[in-house]
């Protein structure tokens, strides 16, 4: 990032590229490390030891070309963004940056890359679901241009994603769906 401390991985040294199958284990490790940030918020600290995205989903999205890594010196992945095309939208399933590399703009670079890819695919929007009040979730995406969707007007696809997450222990009232329009 602009102004990243010397010796840390600022975006100028970060490359965003498609993930490879032989990196799936590394991506799972990155997600576990990333989740350590939830220890900062007592009500959500249990997420630090929660489930991570399955190897199957990583494999599927790698095959589709919508699973990207942020790699630093020596092409070593420190973050990833997994997404899938859902109709005219790109849906972000997961974004994680290794705990030690957080706060240097890598997450922002990954989101911007996904938005650029969605635009290149001719899609209408990028969507995701996230926690409403965690500072590096909803407020972070809002600063990147995402809008929180009104509960009463949620598209069926995103309502179903939130319902499924609730079944996996993510309380429905703490979650929201967000959308960044690429086309008007
Ligand atoms: C979300 C995540 C991918 C962002 O990656 P990152 O490389 O740290 O992202 P950036 O450095 O580009 O930006 C992080 C933003 O969160 C903010 N942030 C991070 N920790 C924060 C904290 N404790 N309090 C307030 N703001 C915080 C930063 O200020 C920054 O906002 P800004 O760039 O608008 O100023 C990373 O925090 C992560 O992996 N978190 C754990 C997993 C997770 O929450 N995934 C998203 C699920 S929807």
């Amino acid at each position: 990032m602009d102004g990243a401390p010397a010796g840390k991985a600022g975006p100028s040294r970060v490359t965003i590229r498609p993930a490879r199958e032989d990196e799936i284990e590394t991506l799972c490790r990155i997600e576990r490390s990333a989740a350590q940030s939830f220890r900062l918020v007592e009500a959500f600290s249990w997420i630090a030891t929660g489930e991570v995205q399955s190897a199957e989903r990583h494999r599927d999205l790698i095959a589709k070309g919508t699973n990207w890594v942020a790699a630093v010196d020596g092409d070593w992945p420190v973050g990833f963004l997994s997404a899938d095309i859902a109709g005219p939208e790109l849906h972000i399933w997961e974004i994680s940056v290794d705990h030690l590399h957080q706060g240097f703009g890598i997450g922002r670079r990954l989101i911007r890359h996904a938005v650029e890819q969605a635009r290149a695919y001719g899609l209408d929007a990028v969507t995701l679901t996230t926690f409403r009040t965690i500072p590096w979730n909803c407020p972070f995406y809002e600063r990147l241009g995402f809008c929180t969707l009104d509960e009463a007007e949620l598209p069926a696809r995103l309502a179903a994603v939130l319902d499924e997450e609730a079944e996996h222990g993510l309380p429905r009232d703490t979650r929201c769906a967000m959308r960044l329009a690429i086309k008007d």
Side-chain angles (χ1 to χ4, degrees):
M1 176 169 72
D2 334 304
K8 293 271 193 166
S12 59
R13 282 185 266 158
V14 173
T15 306
I16 312 287
R17 61 160 173 80
R20 299 191 310 260
E21 274 224 25
D22 65 355
E23 292 172 327
I24 291 175
E25 210 172 296
T26 301
L27 303 190
C28 294
R29 184 193 53 72
I30 288 171
E31 189 175 346
R32 282 190 205 97
S33 165
Q36 298 313 304
S37 58
F38 287 99
R39 288 189 192 279
L40 292 171
V41 188
E42 200 179 343
F44 295 102
S45 57
W46 58 274
I47 292 174
T49 52
E51 285 175 27
V52 297
Q53 178 167 272
S54 69
E56 288 69 28
R57 179 175 279 171
H58 273 299
R59 196 167 294 115
D60 176 45
L61 300 178
I62 286 171
K64 289 176 173 169
T66 51
N67 206 346
W68 296 282
V69 295
V72 295
D73 314 322
D75 198 32
W76 185 250
V78 295
F80 72 87
L81 185 153
S82 299
D84 201 359
I85 295 174
E89 299 176 331
L90 184 76
H91 183 74
I92 297 175
W93 282 115
E94 183 56 47
I95 174 172
S96 280
V97 171
D98 181 282
H99 193 56
L100 292 175
H101 290 82
Q102 289 175 7
F104 295 102
I106 296 175
R108 187 166 45 225
R109 286 270 307 265
L110 281 163
I111 296 276
R112 286 193 176 143
H113 183 79
V115 173
E116 279 164 24
Q117 293 294 304
R119 189 173 283 118
Y121 296 150
L123 299 174
D124 292 350
V126 179
T127 61
L128 55 83
T129 59
T130 194
F131 285 111
R132 288 179 181 277
T133 59
I134 299 277
W136 52 92
N137 282 181
C138 179
F140 168 54
Y141 301 123
E142 273 175 351
R143 290 195 291 277
L144 290 172
F146 284 78
C147 295
T148 303
L149 298 178
D150 195 328
E151 277 295 311
E153 293 168 17
L154 273 188
R157 176 178 69 78
L158 292 169
V161 171
L162 289 167
D163 288 345
E164 197 182 328
E165 288 173 347
E167 281 169 26
H168 283 83
L170 304 183
R172 187 71 179 71
D173 61 340
T174 65
R175 306 280 294 168
C176 64
M178 304 187 79
R179 185 175 191 271
L180 173 75
I182 294 172
K183 289 183 189 165
D184 294 330

